[in-house]
Amino acid sequence: MRKVERRAVDAVLVVPGSPPRILKVGEKQHVNAYRAATLRRYKDELPLAFDADLRIARSDAKAKLEGGGFGRPMPPLFPGEGGRHRQRRRSRTLR
């Protein structure tokens, strides 16, 4: 990870007799139809610490995506047109 980047969790929940749980609160732009589609793929197969059906319903109900600015050039990592969106599209085609 580059020095200018930071990653943080919002909390680590520790309950006696249970393994620790990492809590990361999602941002509003992550509540969308794409997240709902992802949750549908694994919600019945993996133990989750949240109500997946409620999260899916809220994500499906959202009509408009927020503009996160990911499409603008963001040097040095994403200098060209398309910014992070271009990088993400490219990484999907490489799989």
Side-chain angles (χ1 to χ4, degrees), residues 1-2 8-9 14 23 26 32 40 50 54-57 71 79 81 89-90 92 94:
M1 186 170 0
R2 297 175 347 145
V9 297
V14 179
L23 177 67
N32 57 54
R40 281 189 187 93
F50 58 89
L54 177 61
R55 182 80 50 92
I56 289 168
E81 282 302 311
R89 280 194 309 269
R90 190 164 161 246
R92 276 191 232 129
L94 297 175

Side-chain angles (χ1 to χ4, degrees), residues 10 20-21 24 41 60 63 67 71-74 83 86-87 94:
D10 295 309
R21 293 183 183 207
K24 176 70 176 116
R41 293 182 66 95
D60 281 338
R72 72 177 187 277
M74 296 184 348
R86 182 171 180 221
Q87 176 260 342
L94 297 175

